[in-house]
Amino acid sequence: MKWRKIITVGLIILFGAVFIPQWGNLADLLNVLQRGRPIWILAALGLQLLWFLNQAALYQAIYALLGLPARVRRLLPIVLASNFVNFATPTASLGAIPLFLRDAEERGLDPGKVALTNVVRLLLNLAWFSLPLSFSLVVLFLRHKLRMYHIIASSILLAVTILMVAGIVMAGLRPGGFARRLGWAVGRLNRFGERLLKRDVLSEERARTFAGQFGEAAIVLWQGRRRLPRPLIHSMLHDGLELGVLYAMYMAFPGPGAPLSLVLLVTGYTIGVLFSVVAITPQGLGVVEGALVAAFTSLGLPMMRAAVVMLAYRGLSFWLPLVAGFAALRWVHGVGKPAPDAGQAGGDDTLMHVEPE
């Protein structure tokens, strides 16, 4: 379809717009990686690849929690592509929901449940992340390094988490009220669209229908809450693997300075993640690098070594997922290629069936 070609061309243009200005930094990254210890560089790369698989496993665990059939191999390209789409549409890491909804349409899955998987994934990540974030803020306070911008960014993250919890609770307990509020929001959006585009942006009736489906999915989530430990473990691994990547990069570039303790590693990493989530640029591009260097320098790591380590770390934790996500778009149904026919979709779904736990 024509709109798919337009989206594909737009994403290619966006990809080039991101990379061309950063070409000098990427060249520096390649030069830096060549000077690192190969064994630790390979270890970091291996951990980053495990991080990709863990992302897909996290979604698969949430799908199973909601009674949806899925396999990691089916979700992996969608999850990879979501890393790029979330960068292109920075909306609290929920910009890739249309990719999952397109897959749900092809496989005949409940769109409300599929949309809820993305919300639950983000909520689990934020809920778990609040623990190391609280720990890191205490460490910064005890070291007299806590600044107002740390408090402001943490408060914003906490507010987003509370709003998401409230939305899920409202959708489950009062689906009618949730549908009315979503319809109200869509109505306001359509008024803006009418003025700017001379047409409605979204269908208010479809929004209310979707809100009802989302509410039903929230009820299913509450009923399956005993199966939450599995996706929560994957959420913990999400940060644990990234901590491993950061430590491997630290070991790959030896230099002066005190040994990097677990406390300093967690604190510095957490501050970097905080400013990748709460940032004025997509995924904290250009902000996280400075925040990481400043955090580790304030914690005792020499600035030159901190700059090298953080540059190499961001190469694997940011640029590699971005490139892999752009490449994966070609394999995601509905983007860059036509969807399969009904027979193909049905045949594929039989291979992907997972019995609810």
Side-chain angles (χ1 to χ4, degrees), residues 249-263:
M249 283 305 180
Y250 170 82
M251 296 299 295
F253 299 95
L260 187 62
S261 66
L262 180 61
V263 170

Side-chain angles (χ1 to χ4, degrees), residues 3 14 20-21 39 66 136 154 164 178 191 198 201 230 240 252 255 280 306 308 321 332 354:
W3 65 268
L14 177 61
I20 291 175
I39 186 64
L66 295 173
S136 300
S154 301
M164 291 182 63
F178 180 75
R191 288 184 184 180
K198 305 302 180 183
V201 178
R230 181 184 166 199
I280 59 175
V308 170
V332 175
V354 174

Side-chain angles (χ1 to χ4, degrees), residues 241-319:
L241 289 169
E242 284 296 281
L243 276 169
V245 173
L246 180 57
Y247 181 75
M249 283 305 180
Y250 170 82
M251 296 299 295
F253 299 95
L260 187 62
S261 66
L262 180 61
V263 170
L264 299 186
L265 179 68
V266 171
T267 302
Y269 165 79
T270 303
I271 297 304
V273 172
L274 174 63
F275 285 101
S276 70
V277 177
V278 184
I280 59 175
T281 60
Q283 303 294 307
L285 180 61
V287 176
V288 174
E289 292 82 356
L292 281 169
V293 172
F296 280 98
T297 300
S298 67
L299 294 172
L301 197 65
M303 179 171 289
M304 289 302 297
R305 188 182 182 191
V308 170
V309 171
M310 298 315 137
L311 177 62
Y313 166 69
R314 283 289 279 176
L316 288 187
S317 65
F318 175 76
W319 289 109

Side-chain angles (χ1 to χ4, degrees), residues 32-57:
V32 166
L33 290 176
Q34 290 176 356
R35 299 199 302 268
R37 293 177 174 177
I39 186 64
W40 285 106
I41 298 291
L42 290 175
L45 181 60
L47 289 171
Q48 192 63 48
L49 294 178
L50 287 176
W51 183 83
F52 288 143
L53 291 175
N54 182 69
Q55 272 192 306

Side-chain angles (χ1 to χ4, degrees), residues 224-241:
R225 61 189 181 278
R226 293 182 179 179
R227 295 193 291 270
L228 273 174
R230 181 184 166 199
L232 183 58
I233 289 173
H234 286 294
S235 293
M236 296 168 66
L237 283 173
H238 178 89
D239 288 313
L241 289 169

